[in-house]
Amino acid sequence: MNTKFQNKYRIPSARLKNWDYGNNGAYFITICTSNREHFFGEIVLGNDENEMQLNEIGKLTDQFWAEIPKHFPFVELGNYVIMPNHIHGILIIDKKNVIESNTVVKTLHCNVSTNNTDIVIINETMSKISPKRGTISTIIRSYKSVVTKNAHFIHADFEWQARFHDHIIRDSESFERIQNYIETNPEKWKEDKFYN
């Protein structure tokens, strides 16, 4: 049964319970545009096969995905592809050579109170429900944010779908299958479930 948050029904999380999404591993990510609108370009026939022709927003989307490891040095990129209305990509978290600070953020600028006790309680509550630093959720939130900010200069109505899909890649066979799926995605566009 769906529960309510701030008087709105919420879909239960599809995230794997008891899994830390900041753990080392490979993650297959899919992010869609709102209403699957074609904000990133179109699939065109070129050199006897379908290929993605990125528009201006599509080029930004590609650029910012390629820059994820600059902002999150513990992330490596696997194959990825920008499609007309979604992006598929593999993010590989490898923190064994990266030292992360365990400092806790003491204030949240969105919480305003004149009572210091209220601030501490709100901050503790928010820290429990907010995405943790160095996780897939914070990486994707940051990525979506920078794309949105820059896309709005080109198209004021640009929006992402609220959530994203992730799949934990558990073995090399699955990794290769997903890499191949991503690579051949433009060729099979008309068979894609996101085609509309």
Side-chain angles (χ1 to χ4, degrees), residues 31-40 85-86 144 157-163 196:
I31 316 170
C32 295
T33 59
S34 181
N35 299 316
R36 297 189 180 159
E37 193 167 333
H38 290 207
F39 279 116
F40 303 138
N85 58 9
H86 66 282
K144 288 170 74 171
D157 294 331
F158 175 82
E159 281 186 60
W160 291 106
Q161 183 174 298
R163 295 182 176 208
N196 58 5

Side-chain angles (χ1 to χ4, degrees), residues 1-15 17 126 129-131 137 162-164:
M1 180 179 207
N2 292 341
T3 58
K4 283 189 174 184
F5 175 73
Q6 294 184 349
N7 223 20
K8 294 180 184 175
Y9 282 103
R10 300 275 306 194
I11 299 168
S13 174
R15 304 284 175 264
K17 290 183 183 356
M126 291 304 291
I129 64 172
S130 297
S137 291
R163 295 182 176 208
F164 66 93

Side-chain angles (χ1 to χ4, degrees), residues 15-152:
R15 304 284 175 264
L16 184 63
K17 290 183 183 356
N18 301 321
W19 178 262
D20 180 349
Y21 281 83
N23 280 348
N24 288 352
Y27 301 85
F28 175 42
I29 306 295
T30 301
I31 316 170
C32 295
T33 59
S34 181
N35 299 316
R36 297 189 180 159
E37 193 167 333
H38 290 207
F39 279 116
F40 303 138
E42 296 300 328
I43 300 291
V44 296
L45 185 63
N47 299 327
D48 294 327
E49 62 183 39
N50 286 342
E51 55 186 47
M52 180 63 190
Q53 188 172 57
L54 298 173
N55 61 20
E56 211 173 339
I57 295 176
K59 289 175 185 173
L60 286 173
T61 304
D62 181 65
Q63 172 194 334
F64 292 127
W65 187 269
E67 290 177 1
I68 287 174
K70 289 182 184 177
H71 305 284
F72 299 94
F74 54 87
V75 174
E76 298 173 37
L77 301 180
N79 278 8
Y80 71 93
V81 65
I82 312 295
M83 297 294 286
N85 58 9
H86 66 282
I87 176 172
H88 290 303
I90 296 175
L91 297 178
I92 304 158
I93 293 182
D94 182 7
K95 294 181 181 173
K96 64 182 167 225
N97 295 323
V98 179
I99 299 171
E100 268 200 282
S101 169
N102 288 325
T103 57
V104 178
V105 176
K106 298 291 183 194
T107 60
L108 294 173
H109 298 289
C110 61
N111 298 321
V112 179
S113 174
T114 56
N115 182 335
N116 286 339
T117 306
D118 289 344
I119 293 172
V120 171
I121 291 168
I122 290 169
N123 287 341
E124 286 174 1
T125 302
M126 291 304 291
S127 72
K128 288 178 185 172
I129 64 172
S130 297
K132 305 298 179 253
R133 199 172 87 206
T135 64
I136 289 296
S137 291
T138 56
I139 295 164
I140 299 304
R141 181 177 61 183
S142 175
Y143 172 73
K144 288 170 74 171
S145 176
V146 72
V147 171
T148 300
K149 178 182 175 184
N150 286 277
H152 281 166

